[in-house]
Amino acid sequence: MGDAVRPARLREGDLVELVSPSGAADRAVVEVAVGVLSGWGLRVRLGEHALGRRHSYLAGTDEQRLADLNTALRDPEARAVICVRGGYGMQRIVDGVDVEAVRADPKLVMGFSDITALHVALWCEAGLATVHGPTASSLARGLNNRTASSARSLLLEGAPAAVAADEAEGTFGVRAPGRATGILLGGNLTLLATGAGARHRPDLTGAILLLEDVNEEPYRVDRSLVQLKRAGWLDNLAGVAVGQFTDCGEPGYAEPSVADVLAEELCSLGVPVLGGLPIGHGAQQVAVGLGVPAVLDADAGTLTVEPATA
């Protein structure tokens, strides 16, 4: 793993482009997110298919969504690209992303969930540090909350992310002792497992792997972890950062719980593991850089991540 390409942090007056490379979002949701970003002093431009147009369960055809994304990545005026939402669809177009445009003019790219496919591709193809953080749909929760404040701190202030394990998170008990340093990579577990065997395989040697997910039963979480293990993705990690596994198994679900599954598969790797991190699909989430150095201290219950910006 070489040094990441870190785009410049945002400044007041910079242009942010909102695109929908995956699922569609309602116009009202996007408009609230625009208000949040404008409240930070940023200018906002919408991709053609960012406002609720639908093609089946997608925000447009593959050609339309890819065109919107590449237009934003090629725009010399834009300094950041924020995805409107996750859902499904990024994998369908990821091989068509204009990586030459990314290499020529690196921009901040932020999103999570299905956008994991884009994070992995941009890291593998361009060494770009990106932001695992709220989509526009998440920012629509408003200005005055942890989700918005952590994203603003990372995007505009270039601040490192200091994330503490939270006892209220269902994965809090997933822990193996120790301290690890390494490049933070990863994201949504299901997307990572689905991409194993595809063209974009990040070198995870000495990395800290971030995992989170939503709406997956424990056996499906188990299946994804086993897929990554069999594909060799878990062989040489420095540590594992476990975020939110939201609505993964109903309350009172028969054992094993998703936390049991995570502990069984991850705590046997022989590396530090820290669960309970408020990163992912929860009511609030902390934005963190991907492709940048991080320190995971399972004994102290903290994950500290360098800024994704220069």
Side-chain angles (χ1 to χ4, degrees):
M1 293 181 292
D3 292 337
V5 176
R6 302 195 202 193
R9 66 182 177 86
L10 297 179
R11 302 180 184 278
E12 187 173 345
D14 278 350
L15 177 66
V16 173
E17 301 217 22
L18 300 185
V19 297
S20 295
S22 301
D26 293 335
R27 176 182 293 270
V29 170
V30 177
E31 289 175 347
V32 174
V34 170
V36 171
L37 294 168
S38 299
W40 296 348
L42 301 170
R43 295 180 294 127
V44 183
R45 180 179 295 160
L46 302 181
E48 184 178 352
H49 300 87
L51 280 176
R53 298 185 185 182
R54 295 179 185 271
H55 176 78
S56 182
Y57 36 76
L58 304 168
T61 66
D62 288 353
E63 294 77 16
Q64 290 167 336
R65 299 186 339 274
L66 180 60
D68 283 1
L69 176 58
N70 280 336
T71 296
L73 293 173
R74 294 166 183 157
D75 186 348
E77 190 179 3
R79 301 324 315 148
V81 177
I82 297 178
C83 299
V84 168
R85 60 158 294 184
Y88 173 70
M90 188 65 237
Q91 279 187 312
R92 293 172 58 114
I93 63 173
V94 71
D95 292 334
V97 170
D98 189 346
V99 293
E100 291 302 326
V102 174
R103 294 173 184 145
D105 182 19
K107 311 177 194 300
L108 278 165
V109 176
M110 185 168 76
F112 74 112
S113 193
D114 190 58
I115 309 306
T116 294
L118 180 60
H119 289 310
V120 171
L122 294 179
W123 174 252
C124 291
E125 298 276 5
L128 183 71
T130 56
V131 180
H132 185 285
T135 58
S137 297
S138 301
L139 289 175
R141 296 166 183 159
L143 274 170
N144 300 315
N145 56 56
R146 190 178 193 183
T147 296
S149 63
S150 75
R152 187 187 185 286
S153 177
L154 197 156
L155 295 176
L156 279 86
E157 299 171 10
V163 191
D166 186 342
E167 290 186 30
E169 297 291 349
T171 62
F172 182 77
V174 181
R175 192 173 301 201
R179 186 176 187 273
T181 60
I183 302 297
L184 186 68
L185 294 169
N188 182 263
L189 171 61
T190 297
L191 265 292
L192 294 172
T194 304
R199 64 182 289 185
H200 296 124
R201 173 170 177 162
D203 180 3
L204 295 174
T205 303
I208 296 172
L209 181 62
L210 171 64
L211 299 174
E212 63 84 29
D213 221 319
V214 64
N215 292 332
E216 296 290 346
E217 298 293 347
Y219 80 91
R220 294 204 296 261
V221 171
D222 191 309
R223 180 171 61 195
S224 292
L225 290 169
V226 170
Q227 171 66 12
L228 291 181
K229 183 179 290 186
R230 295 186 67 219
W233 285 43
L234 308 184
D235 287 350
N236 299 297
L237 297 175
V240 184
V242 182
Q244 296 161 326
F245 277 70
T246 305
D247 297 330
C248 290
E250 297 297 325
Y253 187 90
E255 293 184 357
S257 68
V258 70
D260 294 331
V261 169
L262 290 164
E264 178 183 9
E265 297 291 352
L266 299 176
C267 294
S268 61
L269 297 175
V271 300
V273 177
L274 177 61
L277 297 170
I279 301 171
H281 285 78
Q284 299 293 330
Q285 64 165 291
V286 177
V288 294
L290 295 175
V292 292
V295 178
L296 183 149
D297 191 332
D299 300 326
T302 58
L303 173 70
T304 307
V305 189
E306 289 190 12
T309 56

